[in-house]
Amino acid sequence: MISVEEALTTILARFHPLEAERVPLREAWGRVLAADVVAREAIPPFDNSAMDGYAVRLADCIGATEANPVVLRVLGEAPAGKASGFDVVPGTAVRIMTGAPIPAGADAVVMREETREAPDRVEILVEPEPAEHIRRLGEDVPRGSTVFEAGELLNPAALGVLASIGVAEVDVIRRPRVALLATGDELVPVEAPLAPGQIHDSTGPALEALLTRLGAVPVPLGTARDEIEDLRAKIAEGARHDLLITTGGVSVGDHDLVKVVLGELGEMAFWKVNMQPGKPLAFGAVGDTPVLGLPGNPVSSLVAFELFVRPAVRRMQGHARVQRPRLTVRLSHLLEKRMERRQFVRAWVHVEDGAYQACSTGPQGSHVLTSVARGNALLDLPPGAHRFEAGTLVQAILLEEGEAYAGRHPDR
Ligand code: AMP
Ligand code: MG
């Protein structure tokens, strides 16, 4: 039996970032940059006012106070959105709006609240600092500077930065296309009624959603029967994608033929990974396409997805960090482990009094998908120990985004 870490290391060695593609800015969110971005425009693109107020000459305003204001003649108004034609000569000021270009001759802005206004003139009530309330050309991003580097993740604010320097299209790592193949004579799609002995393919829609959430493109291939011919055809079709994920048929049953066909079509290793759920795992390649054969039990396949598929997909997407963050959490009740193996327990992690607490989401059988659906984390219980008392600190893998940890479990 190999460890989770050994399996992951072997898997990741086979994955590399995919090629670049050029996409419109709006489609670049969450993607990884394939090339450095050099700013062809500066941010800000010109000196402009940070306040509504008056553009003035410092030299005119020395010693200005409320009791002893400086009186300046107002030349006119400088709104945002057009070049200023004014020249602020000694003794004058320009009424200026936030974002408007600083007129020639001015070297500070006095905010409106620090003035008294009268027709055609203004009283300045404070002495401004040099360049006060002026946003300097290139102060955030100088022209010609590298604003983002290849390998960086584009978050929403990064799209804003790119928009502000006029980048309408960006080179990012393309999305991986991941084929999904369920196997099993008992499986029918969710739309079809069940004949005796049949079950719906439950893993397919779940894996599809996980891939979509990850930013990959799922390509569902439906279900293959437990027959060599059908498996061969569908696996060959799956191998035309960036990754093929199969579910089921990798265990020791008489009809577990996936490993037979994978071995025949490509190079394949079959592992028993020291974990529960999700022990059997196939990994290899058909042609250039890596293949991950996940176990059939729905929970096992979802846990194997989290531990092995997700990091592999993130590697193809060009992410530097491929693994989810782990957190130390406190058990809110006793957990007992039946097996010797390392166990990943479906749990609800939430913040209580500023600290993370975890409770189990219920029965942990490999077929009990509801306890995955009701959870937001996996607790990583090491092999060996069997009892984990309330209050014990354990490692949790967080599966959801921030808000999912904000409160108590809705059912508890
Ligand atoms: P297998 O490894 O193919 O023997 O599958 C193990 C168990 O998981 C069996 O009870 C299968 O019916 C079940 N199973 C396999 N694939 C799926 C699936 N896509 N959806 C729901 N259950 C499945
Ligand atoms: Mg099967």
Side-chain angles (χ1 to χ4, degrees):
M1 210 146 41
I2 65 171
S3 71
V4 170
E5 286 73 19
E6 285 171 282
L8 183 60
T9 304
T10 309
I11 290 168
L12 285 179
R14 183 70 182 68
F15 287 85
H16 307 283
L18 299 176
E19 322 81 75
E21 65 175 356
R22 183 158 292 186
V23 299
L25 186 61
R26 278 187 181 74
E27 288 166 31
W29 171 70
R31 311 283 290 273
V32 172
L33 270 179
D36 294 357
V37 178
V38 174
R40 279 171 292 129
E41 297 169 15
I43 321 176
F46 47 85
D47 289 353
N48 70 90
S49 178
M51 289 287 170
D52 296 325
Y54 288 85
V56 299
R57 298 172 71 96
L58 275 174
D60 283 345
C61 303
I62 290 169
T65 63
E66 173 115 39
N68 211 345
V70 164
V71 182
L72 300 173
R73 186 164 59 85
V74 177
L75 298 175
E77 188 187 284
K82 62 181 218 188
S84 152
F86 297 109
D87 192 1
V88 180
V89 294
T92 67
V94 166
R95 212 160 112 95
I96 194 164
M97 306 302 140
T98 305
I102 301 294
D107 49 13
V109 169
V110 178
M111 55 197 252
R112 216 169 164 183
E113 293 83 338
E114 294 179 337
T115 66
R116 261 195 301 267
E117 297 171 297
D120 298 332
R121 60 190 183 86
V122 62
E123 292 180 20
I124 305 296
L125 308 180
V126 293
E127 180 183 323
E129 300 285 321
E132 190 163 358
H133 303 314
I134 295 180
R135 302 158 170 169
R136 285 287 179 209
L137 162 74
E139 156 185 314
D140 185 6
V141 177
R143 191 210 301 257
S145 65
T146 299
V147 59
F148 296 119
E149 287 177 19
E152 283 192 73
L153 174 65
L154 294 176
N155 62 21
L159 298 201
V161 172
L162 293 173
S164 57
I165 55 173
V167 173
E169 289 185 324
V170 50
D171 293 328
V172 295
I173 305 291
R174 71 174 174 83
R175 291 185 192 279
R177 293 174 55 77
V178 181
L180 280 175
L181 178 63
T183 73
D185 288 339
E186 72 280 28
L187 301 178
V188 293
V190 58
E191 299 80 12
L194 296 179
Q198 293 184 324
I199 58 169
H200 292 296
D201 167 17
S202 56
T203 317
L207 291 175
E208 230 180 287
L210 285 166
L211 286 166
T212 302
R213 183 168 74 174
L214 200 46
V217 181
V219 183
L221 301 182
T223 303
R225 308 185 59 73
D226 290 318
E227 287 162 7
I228 295 282
E229 278 307 310
D230 196 26
L231 282 167
R232 202 182 272 147
K234 295 209 163 91
I235 287 173
E237 187 187 342
R240 292 203 293 265
H241 300 80
D242 295 311
L243 167 65
L244 167 62
I245 299 173
T246 65
T247 56
V250 291
S251 198
V252 293
D254 292 342
H255 301 282
D256 288 337
L257 298 173
V258 170
K259 44 188 189 174
V260 177
V261 174
L262 286 176
E264 172 199 304
L265 290 179
E267 290 165 61
M268 206 52 53
F270 297 96
W271 295 331
K272 286 193 165 80
V273 183
N274 183 16
M275 61 185 273
Q276 201 278 319
K279 185 172 68 168
L281 188 71
F283 176 60
V286 174
D288 286 337
T289 301
V291 181
L292 270 157
L294 308 186
N297 276 310
V299 176
S300 308
S301 54
L302 296 194
V303 171
F305 181 94
E306 283 298 336
L307 297 181
F308 305 117
V309 180
R310 190 176 182 280
V313 170
R314 283 181 62 87
R315 169 84 19 111
M316 287 193 282
Q317 291 171 323
H319 291 288
R321 292 189 196 83
V322 299
Q323 297 215 52
R324 287 198 186 273
R326 280 164 175 263
L327 206 68
T328 303
V329 302
R330 194 175 294 281
L331 288 180
S332 53
H333 57 82
L334 167 75
L335 272 185
E336 282 183 290
K337 194 143 80 57
R338 275 174 303 123
M339 276 184 255
E340 187 65 24
R341 264 184 279 157
R342 180 174 180 179
Q343 192 183 351
F344 292 92
V345 172
R346 288 89 94 177
W348 179 260
V349 167
H350 71 279
V351 179
E352 199 167 314
D353 300 329
Y356 284 100
Q357 293 266 355
C359 53
S360 154
T361 51
Q364 298 286 319
S366 294
H367 58 293
V368 184
L369 205 44
T370 51
S371 56
V372 186
R374 297 213 173 94
N376 58 10
L378 293 173
L379 306 182
D380 185 354
L381 301 187
H386 284 265
R387 280 175 69 87
F388 295 82
E389 304 289 342
T392 307
L393 295 177
V394 298
Q395 290 277 298
I397 303 171
L398 305 185
L399 304 179
E400 300 288 334
E401 289 198 2
E403 293 83 353
Y405 304 92
R408 298 190 69 83
H409 194 281
D411 291 350
R412 278 158 210 269

